[in-house]
mmCIF file of all heavy atoms in Angstrom:
data_model
loop_
_atom_site.group_PDB
_atom_site.id
_atom_site.type_symbol
_atom_site.label_atom_id
_atom_site.label_comp_id
_atom_site.label_asym_id
_atom_site.label_seq_id
_atom_site.Cartn_x
_atom_site.Cartn_y
_atom_site.Cartn_z
ATOM 1 N N ALA B 74 -138.384 67.062 -142.205
ATOM 2 C CA ALA B 74 -137.528 67.942 -143.001
ATOM 3 C C ALA B 74 -136.618 67.087 -143.876
ATOM 4 O O ALA B 74 -136.083 66.076 -143.417
ATOM 5 C CB ALA B 74 -136.694 68.826 -142.082
ATOM 6 N N THR B 75 -136.456 67.482 -145.111
ATOM 7 C CA THR B 75 -135.512 66.824 -146.009
ATOM 8 C C THR B 75 -134.503 67.856 -146.496
ATOM 9 O O THR B 75 -134.852 68.756 -147.249
ATOM 10 C CB THR B 75 -136.234 66.221 -147.237
ATOM 11 O OG1 THR B 75 -137.159 65.230 -146.798
ATOM 12 C CG2 THR B 75 -135.228 65.580 -148.197
ATOM 13 N N PRO B 76 -133.252 67.749 -146.033
ATOM 14 C CA PRO B 76 -132.232 68.649 -146.554
ATOM 15 C C PRO B 76 -131.612 68.023 -147.801
ATOM 16 O O PRO B 76 -130.814 67.103 -147.709
ATOM 17 C CB PRO B 76 -131.212 68.719 -145.402
ATOM 18 C CG PRO B 76 -131.442 67.473 -144.589
ATOM 19 C CD PRO B 76 -132.742 66.852 -144.977
ATOM 20 N N ALA B 77 -132.028 68.508 -148.973
ATOM 21 C CA ALA B 77 -131.524 67.950 -150.233
ATOM 22 C C ALA B 77 -131.729 68.978 -151.335
ATOM 23 O O ALA B 77 -132.589 69.856 -151.230
ATOM 24 C CB ALA B 77 -132.256 66.656 -150.571
ATOM 25 N N GLY B 78 -130.939 68.836 -152.387
ATOM 26 C CA GLY B 78 -130.982 69.803 -153.483
ATOM 27 C C GLY B 78 -132.176 69.597 -154.407
ATOM 28 O O GLY B 78 -132.803 68.533 -154.408
ATOM 29 N N TYR B 79 -132.458 70.623 -155.224
ATOM 30 C CA TYR B 79 -133.598 70.550 -156.137
ATOM 31 C C TYR B 79 -133.319 69.653 -157.337
ATOM 32 O O TYR B 79 -134.217 69.354 -158.118
ATOM 33 C CB TYR B 79 -134.009 71.955 -156.584
ATOM 34 C CG TYR B 79 -134.600 72.743 -155.443
ATOM 35 C CD1 TYR B 79 -133.996 73.898 -154.969
ATOM 36 C CD2 TYR B 79 -135.768 72.303 -154.823
ATOM 37 C CE1 TYR B 79 -134.535 74.596 -153.899
ATOM 38 C CE2 TYR B 79 -136.308 72.999 -153.758
ATOM 39 C CZ TYR B 79 -135.689 74.146 -153.301
ATOM 40 O OH TYR B 79 -136.219 74.826 -152.248
ATOM 41 N N GLY B 80 -132.065 69.211 -157.461
ATOM 42 C CA GLY B 80 -131.740 68.294 -158.543
ATOM 43 C C GLY B 80 -131.744 66.838 -158.082
ATOM 44 O O GLY B 80 -131.529 65.922 -158.882
ATOM 45 N N ASP B 81 -132.008 66.615 -156.823
ATOM 46 C CA ASP B 81 -131.970 65.262 -156.250
ATOM 47 C C ASP B 81 -133.331 64.595 -156.462
ATOM 48 O O ASP B 81 -134.227 64.688 -155.629
ATOM 49 C CB ASP B 81 -131.630 65.378 -154.757
ATOM 50 C CG ASP B 81 -131.441 64.023 -154.087
ATOM 51 O OD1 ASP B 81 -131.943 63.007 -154.613
ATOM 52 O OD2 ASP B 81 -130.773 63.992 -153.032
ATOM 53 N N THR B 82 -133.456 63.911 -157.595
ATOM 54 C CA THR B 82 -134.783 63.400 -157.959
ATOM 55 C C THR B 82 -135.265 62.316 -156.992
ATOM 56 O O THR B 82 -136.471 62.217 -156.743
ATOM 57 C CB THR B 82 -134.793 62.847 -159.400
ATOM 58 O OG1 THR B 82 -133.767 61.859 -159.508
ATOM 59 C CG2 THR B 82 -134.520 63.956 -160.402
ATOM 60 N N ALA B 83 -134.351 61.545 -156.442
ATOM 61 C CA ALA B 83 -134.778 60.507 -155.492
ATOM 62 C C ALA B 83 -135.372 61.149 -154.240
ATOM 63 O O ALA B 83 -136.441 60.746 -153.756
ATOM 64 C CB ALA B 83 -133.596 59.621 -155.116
ATOM 65 N N ALA B 84 -134.693 62.174 -153.723
ATOM 66 C CA ALA B 84 -135.185 62.849 -152.519
ATOM 67 C C ALA B 84 -136.503 63.573 -152.801
ATOM 68 O O ALA B 84 -137.426 63.548 -151.985
ATOM 69 C CB ALA B 84 -134.134 63.831 -151.999
ATOM 70 N N LEU B 85 -136.583 64.204 -153.980
ATOM 71 C CA LEU B 85 -137.816 64.911 -154.344
ATOM 72 C C LEU B 85 -138.985 63.932 -154.463
ATOM 73 O O LEU B 85 -140.105 64.231 -154.037
ATOM 74 C CB LEU B 85 -137.644 65.642 -155.675
ATOM 75 C CG LEU B 85 -137.019 67.035 -155.631
ATOM 76 C CD1 LEU B 85 -136.729 67.511 -157.060
ATOM 77 C CD2 LEU B 85 -137.941 68.037 -154.926
ATOM 78 N N THR B 86 -138.712 62.769 -155.038
ATOM 79 C CA THR B 86 -139.761 61.769 -155.210
ATOM 80 C C THR B 86 -140.249 61.261 -153.850
ATOM 81 O O THR B 86 -141.457 61.139 -153.620
ATOM 82 C CB THR B 86 -139.240 60.586 -156.060
ATOM 83 O OG1 THR B 86 -138.749 61.118 -157.297
ATOM 84 C CG2 THR B 86 -140.334 59.581 -156.340
ATOM 85 N N ALA B 87 -139.302 61.010 -152.949
ATOM 86 C CA ALA B 87 -139.684 60.543 -151.613
ATOM 87 C C ALA B 87 -140.483 61.626 -150.878
ATOM 88 O O ALA B 87 -141.476 61.338 -150.194
ATOM 89 C CB ALA B 87 -138.435 60.175 -150.808
ATOM 90 N N PHE B 88 -140.048 62.870 -151.039
ATOM 91 C CA PHE B 88 -140.767 64.003 -150.448
ATOM 92 C C PHE B 88 -142.207 64.036 -150.966
ATOM 93 O O PHE B 88 -143.164 64.092 -150.188
ATOM 94 C CB PHE B 88 -140.019 65.292 -150.796
ATOM 95 C CG PHE B 88 -140.801 66.553 -150.589
ATOM 96 C CD1 PHE B 88 -140.991 67.084 -149.314
ATOM 97 C CD2 PHE B 88 -141.352 67.239 -151.676
ATOM 98 C CE1 PHE B 88 -141.709 68.263 -149.129
ATOM 99 C CE2 PHE B 88 -142.058 68.421 -151.499
ATOM 100 C CZ PHE B 88 -142.249 68.929 -150.223
ATOM 101 N N ALA B 89 -142.335 63.980 -152.288
ATOM 102 C CA ALA B 89 -143.669 64.075 -152.898
ATOM 103 C C ALA B 89 -144.566 62.931 -152.422
ATOM 104 O O ALA B 89 -145.772 63.112 -152.205
ATOM 105 C CB ALA B 89 -143.561 64.075 -154.422
ATOM 106 N N ALA B 90 -143.962 61.759 -152.237
ATOM 107 C CA ALA B 90 -144.750 60.593 -151.818
ATOM 108 C C ALA B 90 -145.206 60.714 -150.366
ATOM 109 O O ALA B 90 -146.145 60.036 -149.949
ATOM 110 C CB ALA B 90 -143.924 59.324 -151.997
ATOM 111 N N SER B 91 -144.553 61.579 -149.604
ATOM 112 C CA SER B 91 -144.845 61.652 -148.160
ATOM 113 C C SER B 91 -145.861 62.738 -147.816
ATOM 114 O O SER B 91 -146.204 62.897 -146.646
ATOM 115 C CB SER B 91 -143.544 61.931 -147.395
ATOM 116 O OG SER B 91 -143.182 63.289 -147.534
ATOM 117 N N VAL B 92 -146.298 63.523 -148.808
ATOM 118 C CA VAL B 92 -147.177 64.658 -148.506
ATOM 119 C C VAL B 92 -148.499 64.533 -149.261
ATOM 120 O O VAL B 92 -148.593 63.795 -150.237
ATOM 121 C CB VAL B 92 -146.482 66.011 -148.843
ATOM 122 C CG1 VAL B 92 -145.159 66.131 -148.090
ATOM 123 C CG2 VAL B 92 -146.268 66.177 -150.343
ATOM 124 N N ASP B 93 -149.497 65.286 -148.779
ATOM 125 C CA ASP B 93 -150.816 65.229 -149.408
ATOM 126 C C ASP B 93 -151.034 66.348 -150.413
ATOM 127 O O ASP B 93 -151.897 66.267 -151.284
ATOM 128 C CB ASP B 93 -151.890 65.304 -148.314
ATOM 129 C CG ASP B 93 -151.818 64.113 -147.377
ATOM 130 O OD1 ASP B 93 -151.963 62.977 -147.863
ATOM 131 O OD2 ASP B 93 -151.577 64.312 -146.167
ATOM 132 N N VAL B 94 -150.286 67.416 -150.253
ATOM 133 C CA VAL B 94 -150.317 68.526 -151.201
ATOM 134 C C VAL B 94 -148.970 69.222 -151.052
ATOM 135 O O VAL B 94 -148.344 69.146 -149.984
ATOM 136 C CB VAL B 94 -151.481 69.497 -150.907
ATOM 137 C CG1 VAL B 94 -151.280 70.228 -149.585
ATOM 138 C CG2 VAL B 94 -151.683 70.528 -152.023
#
Side-chain angles (χ1 to χ4, degrees):
Chain B
T75 298
Y79 291 117
D81 185 339
T82 55
L85 275 171
T86 304
F88 164 77
S91 76
V92 303
D93 297 300
V94 67

